[in-house]
Amino acid sequence: MTGSRVTHDPVEVLIIGAGAGGAITALTLAQAGIGVTCLEQGTWTAPQDRPHASPDWEWIRYAQFATSPNIRQWRSDYPIDTEDENTLMWNGVGGGTGIWTAAYPRFRPSDFRKGTEHGLQPDWPYTYEDLEPWFDAHDALIGVSGVQGDPGMPPRSPHWGPPVPPGPVARVASAGLRHLGWHHWPTDVAILSRPKDGRPACNCCSACQSGCSIGAMHDTSVSIWPKALAAGAALRTGAKVVRITTDQAGMASGAEYIDTATGERHWQPA
């Protein structure tokens, strides 16, 4: 103890936030044998706790499971200083991947060379071709579904799985677009079209944005964190970070957080 603060043993790497970035970073470091701890101020939300099975699920989707923390008002949320913009944000394991639609279009090669194209911004210091192997590896890790051959897009490497079957609305829209002669194509989605790692394929319930009730959608709480924890990463939920601490040289030395269950203050050096 330092005063009324609990001091933990140092870790090699400390991550704040268990969303998309925190999850994949924890997995990568843990698999490399690096000691990593993640602090998350929210908690776990199991797939079965999503509102799909409730007769009033649509109301719950726009209330307790709204994308905006101003509407949702969970204990773990921060309010957003706005009244006219509903930011998609989720404080909990999985972060925003818990309440998104999982549309997963890939960058195009031209996105990396806007300076060459029109000079209004610089080219990226690396190319699509440099990153393509990493896109492929991540698509395979989380299970990105889609179909190749879109004439409106440049060629790309294969998808992990075939496209998710279209629902009734998509079939009607597709027929209308074909009738008009308009080009359309199923977008890549981070949703399983076939089982993977114990997770089932999509059942096409069309209620993605309140979170997937079966775990078919890429929510890092079901797609990444189980692997990261198995590899040795540590995850503390209910840990609300209040301050990044620094050493005498002004370098980050850890994080101070409050255990939201007990109100106790902790310091995690790293």
Side-chain angles (χ1 to χ4, degrees), residues 61-145:
R61 153 76 180 85
Y62 288 104
Q64 296 100 304
F65 279 83
T67 57
S68 170
N70 290 0
I71 298 171
R72 196 171 58 236
Q73 295 187 356
W74 284 30
R75 182 180 176 187
S76 57
D77 284 326
Y78 321 85
I80 302 298
D81 186 19
T82 178
E83 295 181 356
D84 59 1
E85 195 273 321
N86 291 333
T87 300
L88 190 156
M89 192 173 82
W90 182 269
N91 295 120
V93 180
T97 63
I99 50 170
W100 65 325
T101 56
Y104 217 73
R106 185 179 285 196
F107 284 114
R108 297 165 297 180
S110 60
D111 292 326
F112 293 83
R113 51 174 188 265
K114 294 304 181 186
T116 301
E117 281 196 340
H118 51 56
L120 298 180
Q121 65 186 54
D123 288 345
W124 287 49
Y126 35 78
T127 67
Y128 170 86
E129 290 73 21
D130 293 331
L131 292 181
E132 188 171 19
W134 302 100
F135 287 142
D136 292 345
H138 192 259
D139 284 4
L141 175 67
I142 66 175
V144 173
S145 303

Side-chain angles (χ1 to χ4, degrees), residues 9-34:
D9 291 336
V11 295
E12 291 181 87
V13 176
L14 181 62
I15 296 170
I16 299 170
I24 193 66
T25 303
L27 174 63
T28 303
L29 294 174
Q31 288 180 333
I34 296 171

Side-chain angles (χ1 to χ4, degrees), residues 147-231:
V147 60
Q148 291 179 269
D150 182 357
M153 295 290 285
R156 52 151 292 165
S157 47
H159 295 79
W160 169 83
V164 172
V169 174
R171 288 193 290 270
V172 171
S174 178
L177 292 169
R178 284 197 302 271
H179 177 74
L180 293 169
W182 291 3
H183 170 68
H184 64 289
W185 201 263
T187 189
D188 295 355
V189 291
I191 299 172
L192 300 185
S193 56
R194 51 188 171 130
K196 175 179 171 57
D197 299 335
R199 296 161 54 209
C202 176
N203 62 3
C204 300
C205 73
S206 301
C208 302
Q209 205 162 355
S210 54
C212 183
S213 64
I214 62 172
M217 187 175 73
H218 166 51
D219 171 349
T220 64
S221 71
V222 296
S223 60
I224 301 294
W225 273 111
K227 294 182 174 69
L229 296 174

